[in-house]
Amino acid sequence: MAQLIRRAAALNKSLPAASFAARGLATASTSSITVETSLPFTGHNIDPPSRSVETSPQELLTFFRDMALMRRMEIAADSLYKAKLIRGFCHLYDGQEAVCVGMEAAINRKDCIITAYRDHCIFLGRGGTLLEAFAELMGRKDGCSKGKGGSMHFYKKEGGFYGGHGIVGAQVPLGCGLAFAQKYSKDESVTFAMYGDGAANQGQLFEALNMAALWDLPAILVCENNHYGMGTAEWRAAKSPAYYKRGDYVPGLKVDGMDALAVKQACKFAKEHALKNGPIILEMDTYRYHGHSMSDPGSTYRTRDEISGVRQERDPIERIRKLVLAHDLATEKELKDTEKEVRKEVDEAIAQAKESPMPDPSELFSNVYAKGLGTESFGADRKEVRTVLP
Amino acid sequence: MAAAILHGVGATTPLSSVKYNNSRRSLPGSGITERKRASFVIQCYGSLSSGLNIGINRAVKLSTNAVATKQDSVTASTPSKPGHELLLFEALREGLEEEMERDPWVCVMGEDVGHYGGSYKVTKGLADKYGDLRVLDTPIAENSFTGMGIGAAMTGLRPIVEGMNMGFLLLAFNQISNNCGMLHYTSGGQFKIPIVIRGPGGVGRQLGAEHSQRLESYFQSIPGIQMVACSTPYNAKGLMKAAIRSDNPVILFEHVLLYNLKERIPDEEYVLSLEESEMVRTGDHVTILTYSRMRYHVMQAAKTLVNKGYDPEVIDIRSLKPFDLHTIGNSVKKTHRVVIVEECMRTGGIGASLTASINEHFHDYLDAPIVCLSSQDVPTPYAGTLEDWTVVQPAQIVAAVEQLCR
């Protein structure tokens, strides 16, 4: 709690600095604004990047809208779950939106992102639509995985989003595999393998890190540290909760995960580093307002004061709102209108998703195997050819 | 009917109009009408949505060769080329090398596969030819390098992950079950996992309990994977090539004791079918189903049985998942008696599943209960005599057949 107050104090100090650095009214949306991040970056075995982030009015407004959309989506998912339209496990990302929005701003669609089960917002960031997300959550045919994956299995191949994985930590070796394929095909892109503070204690993570460092794979391991592994606080699970230092020989960077611009700066820096020197760990210091999942009230292991404290002092959307208002990029009313618009969008998507039908019974058996060997099997004399199996 | 479909998922030929060449079947009239009547109808999932039949009609007529028809010679080789002799591990290497040559996305990863050349020499010389990235020496981290292979496969690479011993892959079970088998399904078909996971398993010569494991029984329930077991140099090369070309994850089970088998294989290129079983010896009295090393115990027993006047039909099932119920069914209809000889444990092994499967589909054709000979449900002991008694010996097979055919 003390840590959070200290950070809150730092935030209050930095905002005036930001307005001094501002270049006044920016009329053209491409003009750039320099903002200081709330906190300096802390590096492990590496020189951290500068605190000054270049951004533009367009970008800030996009940040606001995207984060508001994600926040609204997660809140709507909460209500849908309570209305029993979403079943099973539903892990919500509200509070952590800055991480995925900042990351998207620094990379392109050729870069790959892979994450665990708190994947709804990252899916949106990678080009997924609200309809696909809600339909998948409700198990309908129009979902991104045709209703067969569920909350924990969102994927978007064209967007470079590789999921969506239920088993804690298992996605990190997969992420290193993606990086391996990128190195193999030499296409100058990187992989962001995301995991949480709970997964940071998994052995396979260190195995994967060792291999990534050994072969200089362009893998960036992003620890979204929301300080709780389900109900266990980080200090109760990890002897060393400085996750960015855990890589030992692999450099690390600690970032304020509630500041979208800091995240963007760190990801840009990490991408450059990974393409030249191999893996790097980014620890995003962030927070989730909901419990671990919808079955967890989230208040048995932390106080309500803590949650509301973070919401008041460090909320990512509020930060961007204050920035936008401080730089006169939009009025209070315009921002409220954006929020209303976003709410309407989400409601429409839900209505559309509710119309979507349940998958066909035959879908039970489709996609178990990929269709076709893709080839024929044939004997040595090639005269007797076997059929291409379906 | 639903049960039949479940068993046939991913299996061969649908019910539609496929021309069927009966050349090697001794059973008359076993054409499409026969299959329609039987309760076992193998339907691929594709036939549930009729759109797939278009692809089938385009195919060439189904012929069931490229498998052994005689006991000793294995191939339908043309007289012009003499073929070449090699050992099983060399056959695997040949298949692997041909595929690596053909497709630049094929790569190998595993412990000591590169500079060392593979602990069973299957990848010898490949690192010198293709470089360290394509033939990757991994640290001893099965869970994560299998995960890495699967992640790479998601992007379109075609990795072959070698487990130095199949038993070590237990550490990668989560990756194989959840990410390898299920990703194609849970992503709604977006990602294919064209990975091959291979390695030697089975009971060797006094290797101890932990190095003598048979993982086919543990993996068989994982949906979405295919499992094949090779037993001769000819089918080793063919199955290796088919597995690499397949878009599905395939687990190729080799056996520690079979690597030095020598055989003459054709010079020409050939690719076998992953879902087909091999007719080793045709017969009339009893169907003996087996795979991998037990095939040789069975053939040894068959010699004795022939001398005693029996006529066993021996089928090397090769495809452990899905079972080739077509070949097996036709055989059962002919002989009405089944003996399964396997190296898996008694409990929950391949034999147990096969017994259930045959009982379910061919119950009407059986004259006697199925006899399943498997290894004992014990950890494999070190002592030589005890180890011999954990696995099925030819004498036991002979006794079982005599009992069954009484």
Side-chain angles (χ1 to χ4, degrees):
Chain A
M1 190 61 191
Q3 266 186 323
L4 293 167
I5 295 173
R6 251 182 276 130
R7 267 191 223 105
L11 166 61
N12 289 330
K13 259 193 280 177
S14 70
L15 271 183
S19 55
F20 282 148
R23 276 206 254 141
L25 216 77
T27 44
S29 62
T30 48
S31 69
S32 95
I33 304 175
T34 311
V35 182
E36 284 245 310
T37 63
S38 61
L39 293 171
F41 299 103
T42 329
H44 166 76
N45 285 352
I46 196 168
D47 288 320
S50 112
R51 271 178 83 175
S52 308
V53 187
E54 292 280 313
T55 180
S56 71
Q58 175 72 355
E59 188 169 69
L60 286 176
L61 291 171
T62 315
F63 276 9
F64 182 83
R65 190 172 202 287
D66 287 344
M67 290 203 279
L69 186 69
M70 290 170 183
R71 178 69 60 92
R72 191 87 301 274
M73 175 177 77
E74 297 295 73
I75 308 274
D78 180 310
S79 329
L80 287 175
Y81 192 90
K82 289 185 175 133
K84 290 209 194 299
L85 281 164
I86 301 177
R87 314 303 298 272
F89 292 125
C90 189
H91 306 86
L92 299 176
Y93 200 70
D94 55 325
Q96 299 183 210
E97 300 92 349
V99 175
C100 79
V101 157
M103 191 182 287
E104 280 300 326
I107 61 177
N108 59 44
R109 288 287 157 81
K110 263 181 46 183
D111 298 314
C112 307
I113 299 185
I114 190 170
T115 184
Y117 41 78
R118 216 176 285 279
D119 55 352
H120 308 163
C121 299
I122 302 173
F123 169 73
L124 277 193
R126 289 263 93 185
T129 65
L130 282 172
L131 173 62
E132 283 176 336
F134 282 118
E136 186 63 35
L137 285 172
M138 294 197 265
R140 307 297 172 99
K141 201 159 79 162
D142 290 324
C144 54
S145 303
K146 301 196 191 144
K148 300 200 282 194
S151 159
M152 296 188 282
H153 299 285
F154 280 23
Y155 302 89
K156 188 132 189 109
K157 186 167 186 188
E158 315 82 61
F161 181 52
Y162 288 80
H165 296 273
I167 304 294
V168 170
Q171 76 275 12
V172 180
L174 286 182
C176 287
L178 299 173
F180 176 80
Q182 286 171 329
K183 188 178 173 102
Y184 194 98
S185 50
K186 299 196 181 80
D187 62 2
E188 295 297 303
S189 46
V190 296
T191 299
F192 286 82
M194 303 171 77
Y195 59 98
D197 47 298
N201 300 317
Q202 273 266 323
Q204 51 190 325
L205 202 146
F206 295 95
E207 293 177 16
L209 200 59
N210 175 42
M211 290 196 280
L214 200 56
W215 302 317
D216 287 325
L217 301 181
I220 299 160
L221 270 67
V222 180
C223 177
E224 293 181 282
N225 183 4
N226 56 27
H227 305 288
Y228 294 95
M230 199 161 90
T232 308
E234 58 174 344
W235 55 271
R236 287 180 63 225
K239 184 73 179 171
S240 155
Y243 299 109
Y244 70 108
K245 286 191 183 161
R246 289 271 203 94
D248 186 23
Y249 42 82
V250 171
L253 202 62
K254 189 169 162 116
V255 186
D256 179 5
M258 303 298 250
D259 180 355
L261 292 167
V263 171
K264 173 185 157 189
Q265 180 87 320
C267 291
K268 230 166 76 178
F269 175 76
K271 179 169 173 176
E272 277 164 31
H273 182 274
L275 283 174
K276 275 204 309 276
N277 308 332
I280 180 171
I281 299 180
L282 295 177
E283 182 186 336
M284 305 284 180
D285 189 346
T286 179
Y287 200 84
R288 55 167 162 82
Y289 298 141
H290 269 90
H292 164 76
S293 72
M294 286 305 298
S295 355
D296 169 32
S299 49
T300 54
Y301 47 87
R302 50 186 190 173
T303 60
R304 291 200 196 278
D305 288 335
E306 183 187 300
I307 306 174
S308 51
V310 175
R311 207 188 271 273
Q312 268 183 327
E313 311 289 341
R314 298 178 65 205
D315 185 78
I317 301 182
E318 287 314 304
R319 176 191 298 277
I320 297 290
R321 190 199 299 269
K322 286 195 186 104
L323 266 177
V324 165
L325 293 175
H327 290 256
D328 277 326
L329 304 175
T331 62
E332 185 80 44
K333 183 175 176 304
E334 284 172 346
L335 292 180
K336 282 250 185 297
D337 282 341
T338 310
E339 285 182 315
K340 282 211 190 85
E341 236 178 76
V342 147
R343 195 185 183 120
K344 195 156 143 286
E345 221 179 288
V346 165
D347 288 338
E348 274 169 16
I350 294 181
Q352 212 184 345
K354 280 186 184 162
E355 299 285 309
S356 169
M358 286 292 200
D360 217 53
S362 67
E363 288 286 324
L364 180 60
F365 298 111
S366 67
N367 297 129
V368 179
Y369 292 103
K371 287 193 177 153
L373 272 182
T375 184
E376 338 156 87
S377 56
F378 47 88
D381 54 11
R382 283 183 178 261
K383 282 197 212 127
E384 298 178 343
V385 178
R386 205 164 304 290
T387 169
V388 176
L389 297 172
Chain B
M1 199 62 177
I5 297 173
L6 276 166
H7 275 285
V9 162
T12 51
T13 50
L15 201 46
S16 60
S17 55
V18 172
K19 300 229 179 352
Y20 182 66
N21 182 353
N22 276 335
S23 59
R24 75 173 173 89
R25 297 274 184 269
S26 50
L27 202 61
S30 62
I32 296 180
T33 44
E34 190 75 13
R35 274 192 276 156
K36 263 208 186 102
R37 209 190 60 216
S39 60
F40 75 103
V41 175
I42 295 172
Q43 286 197 4
C44 70
Y45 64 80
S47 56
L48 286 168
S49 58
S50 60
L52 211 56
N53 294 327
I54 304 164
I56 311 306
N57 292 332
R58 198 184 56 216
V60 185
K61 69 168 168 64
L62 172 65
S63 169
T64 51
N65 217 329
V67 293
T69 44
K70 290 192 310 196
Q71 217 161 326
D72 312 292
S73 112
V74 179
T75 67
S77 52
T78 54
S80 52
K81 295 234 184 105
H84 55 286
E85 252 192 359
L86 42 54
L87 307 176
L88 196 144
F89 74 86
E90 290 170 345
L92 286 167
R93 191 198 316 147
E94 219 177 71
L96 186 50
E97 197 166 345
E98 282 176 17
E99 290 304 302
M100 287 183 81
E101 195 64 48
R102 178 180 174 269
D103 184 353
W105 295 113
V106 176
C107 60
V108 184
M109 44 181 88
E111 295 158 15
D112 278 327
V113 294
H115 293 188
Y116 192 84
S119 53
Y120 292 94
K121 292 179 275 182
V122 173
T123 49
K124 187 151 184 219
L126 293 180
D128 295 326
K129 191 167 171 193
Y130 295 108
D132 279 345
L133 196 67
R134 258 187 109 180
V135 186
L136 191 66
D137 275 325
T138 63
I140 305 175
E142 280 80 8
N143 194 359
S144 41
F145 72 68
T146 311
M148 231 182 74
I150 295 166
M154 281 171 94
T155 64
L157 232 57
R158 305 186 87 92
I160 294 141
V161 173
E162 173 175 313
M164 191 182 274
N165 186 291
M166 268 289 170
F168 306 161
L169 290 181
L170 285 172
L171 289 161
F173 204 110
N174 173 54
Q175 297 288 355
I176 296 175
S177 166
N178 293 334
N179 295 330
C180 182
M182 303 200 202
L183 253 174
H184 188 65
Y185 191 84
T186 56
S187 66
Q190 286 182 67
F191 294 110
K192 289 202 284 231
I193 317 288
I195 193 175
V196 176
I197 298 173
R198 50 161 290 269
V203 175
R205 297 250 181 273
Q206 299 187 257
L207 299 177
E210 289 169 358
H211 291 73
S212 313
Q213 297 192 72
R214 287 128 278 170
L215 292 208
E216 44 275 21
S217 50
Y218 304 158
F219 288 146
Q220 65 176 323
S221 305
I222 301 173
I225 57 161
Q226 284 191 262
M227 304 201 305
V228 283
C230 62
S231 48
T232 66
Y234 179 76
N235 63 34
K237 178 176 172 186
L239 289 175
M240 170 72 97
K241 288 170 75 89
I244 296 173
R245 293 192 194 190
S246 169
D247 278 339
N248 292 313
V250 179
I251 305 186
L252 174 57
F253 290 93
E254 301 154 14
H255 198 286
V256 274
L257 295 181
L258 297 184
Y259 278 128
N260 289 327
L261 279 179
K262 189 187 282 206
E263 193 183 6
R264 181 167 289 273
I265 66 168
D267 289 325
E268 302 90 344
E269 199 193 10
Y270 64 94
V271 176
L272 295 178
S273 168
L274 288 175
E275 291 88 5
E276 237 207 18
S277 54
E278 189 174 319
M279 183 70 76
V280 185
R281 180 188 193 284
T282 47
D284 261 331
H285 288 170
V286 60
T287 301
I288 306 183
L289 303 171
T290 182
Y291 66 93
S292 195
R293 178 191 172 208
M294 286 296 118
R295 168 188 173 140
Y296 296 93
H297 281 207
V298 166
M299 291 315 291
Q300 207 178 327
K303 275 205 194 81
T304 317
L305 286 168
V306 167
N307 288 340
K308 290 194 177 183
Y310 294 95
D311 190 19
E313 176 153 295
V314 180
I315 297 179
D316 180 345
I317 60 174
R318 262 180 14 196
S319 172
L320 305 178
K321 184 180 167 85
F323 292 133
D324 180 5
L325 289 177
H326 185 74
T327 313
I328 294 171
N330 283 337
S331 179
V332 171
K333 282 187 226 164
K334 183 170 59 165
T335 65
H336 310 294
R337 289 179 176 79
V338 181
V339 175
I340 300 172
V341 179
E342 55 154 0
E343 207 173 324
C344 257
M345 312 291 223
R346 182 130 203 79
T347 308
I350 296 286
S353 301
L354 195 50
T355 306
S357 200
I358 298 175
N359 269 326
E360 195 171 332
H361 295 131
F362 308 122
H363 186 257
D364 291 336
Y365 296 97
L366 289 170
D367 280 348
I370 300 175
V371 174
C372 181
L373 301 173
S374 358
S375 299
Q376 305 304 315
D377 278 328
V378 295
T380 312
Y382 166 72
T385 43
L386 292 180
E387 187 186 62
D388 282 339
W389 283 107
T390 38
V391 293
V392 180
Q393 298 297 335
Q396 295 168 310
I397 305 173
V398 173
V401 172
E402 286 184 325
Q403 180 113 16
L404 191 59
C405 293
R406 218 163 359 101

